[in-house]
Amino acid sequence: MTSYKNILSDNQEGICTITVNRPEKLNALNHETIQEIGRAVAAAVKDKGIDGIIITGAGQKAFVAGADISEFSSYTVEEGKKLSSDGHKVFNSIERCPKPVIAAVNGFALGGGCELAMSCHLRVASDNAKFGQPEVKLGVIPGYAGTQRLVQLIGKGKAMELLMTADMIGAEEAHRLGLVNHVTTPDQLMNKVMEIMAKIRAQSPRAIEGIVNCVDAYFNKEKDGFAFEIEEFGNCFGTGDFTEGVSAFLEKRKANFVRS
Ligand code: COA
């Protein structure tokens, strides 16, 4: 079992829960923490016994309160670029993860925390969660694709406002804007995440992977998402999941997808 310094990675009943574990710093993301998240996600993808990933923060107060400001306070231009580029690689690996990744947002999701949540496929927030991109207060811009994913999720006008004003919004407002999928009480947060995960797990894993690839292609300027879907759709017909899914429907029974 891999051990980490800044995160916890816990596999239970086929789900890997990655908890950013620096509660005394409101789970701020230093470089090492982001690398550990990347390693934990890669390990969960490789592990045949894992069907999905949950990302959350330790404690009651924060999901992640941003990049670790004290770490980058004396960075040079080159160091800043490397920090951002390394973060992009990890956050992209979350977005393109072939298994479902759900953010359980249990408090402040600011800066890199909002960006981490946005890199996940879905977001469920507790009603005490707060979202924002306050980087402009510090004289920087979001560096883990916040300028891109926030626009994708809530549209240009509102994204511009949040990015330029550094405003913090509550969970209900985030829900209204489409930044989060569901809002719950803090004690129901994990139940709601598990309920969604259970629905996804009942579907064809190969088809779920195809969905991730096609949706990613929509946002990838180097790909033609429509052509990509035709390809992925066709490929489904050669999978055991398709044989099982269609047979189950015709035989009026529940599909039992074999994970490989
Ligand atoms: N980087 C490094 N340390 C951070 C941090 C961050 N992004 N966010 C919080 N912390 C640390 C604080 O420095 C403090 O540490 P200390 O006890 O050693 O002084 C500890 O976490 C608790 O934070 P504190 O500010 O005392 O809590 P609060 O409840 O008064 O305020 C926030 C909470 C989230 C509003 C406030 O911590 C904040 O504004 N954080 C920065 C958010 C941000 O700008 N993120 C984007 C970074 S690019």
Side-chain angles (χ1 to χ4, degrees), residues 24-26 28 61 65-69 72 108 110-111 134-135 138:
E24 71 293 345
K25 294 287 171 198
L26 301 186
K61 202 169 162 185
D68 190 324
I69 299 167
F72 66 55
F108 289 113
L110 303 175
E135 288 86 349
L138 303 168

Side-chain angles (χ1 to χ4, degrees), residues 217-253:
Y218 175 86
F219 293 108
N220 189 328
K221 293 186 179 71
E222 282 158 26
K223 287 181 183 161
D224 172 351
F226 290 91
F228 204 84
E229 184 189 272
I230 292 169
E231 195 63 23
E232 283 277 334
F233 178 76
N235 287 340
C236 292
F237 289 80
T239 65
D241 278 12
F242 174 72
T243 310
E244 169 58 13
V246 171
S247 306
F249 177 79
L250 296 175
E251 292 161 18
K252 300 189 186 305
R253 63 175 171 82

Side-chain angles (χ1 to χ4, degrees), residues 173-207:
E173 171 75 345
H175 185 231
R176 202 181 60 76
L177 292 172
L179 182 53
V180 302
N181 298 74
H182 299 275
V183 179
T184 70
T185 55
D187 60 322
Q188 281 304 309
L189 180 63
M190 281 302 173
N191 287 345
K192 185 67 190 175
V193 171
M194 286 301 187
E195 182 192 312
I196 299 168
M197 201 56 107
K199 283 189 198 171
I200 300 173
R201 280 176 99 181
Q203 318 306 332
S204 147
R206 178 61 195 89

Side-chain angles (χ1 to χ4, degrees), residues 210-222:
I211 297 287
V212 172
N213 292 340
C214 288
V215 173
D216 183 61
Y218 175 86
F219 293 108
N220 189 328
K221 293 186 179 71
E222 282 158 26

Side-chain angles (χ1 to χ4, degrees), residues 22-30 61-62 64-72 108-113 115 130 132-138 140-144 168:
R22 303 181 75 212
E24 71 293 345
K25 294 287 171 198
L26 301 186
N27 304 321
L29 297 175
N30 57 13
K61 202 169 162 185
V64 164
D68 190 324
I69 299 167
S70 51
E71 182 183 63
F72 66 55
F108 289 113
L110 303 175
E115 291 169 301
K130 294 231 177 319
Q133 296 288 162
E135 288 86 349
V136 287
K137 283 187 185 177
L138 303 168
V140 288
I141 65 169
Y144 300 141
M168 244 194 254

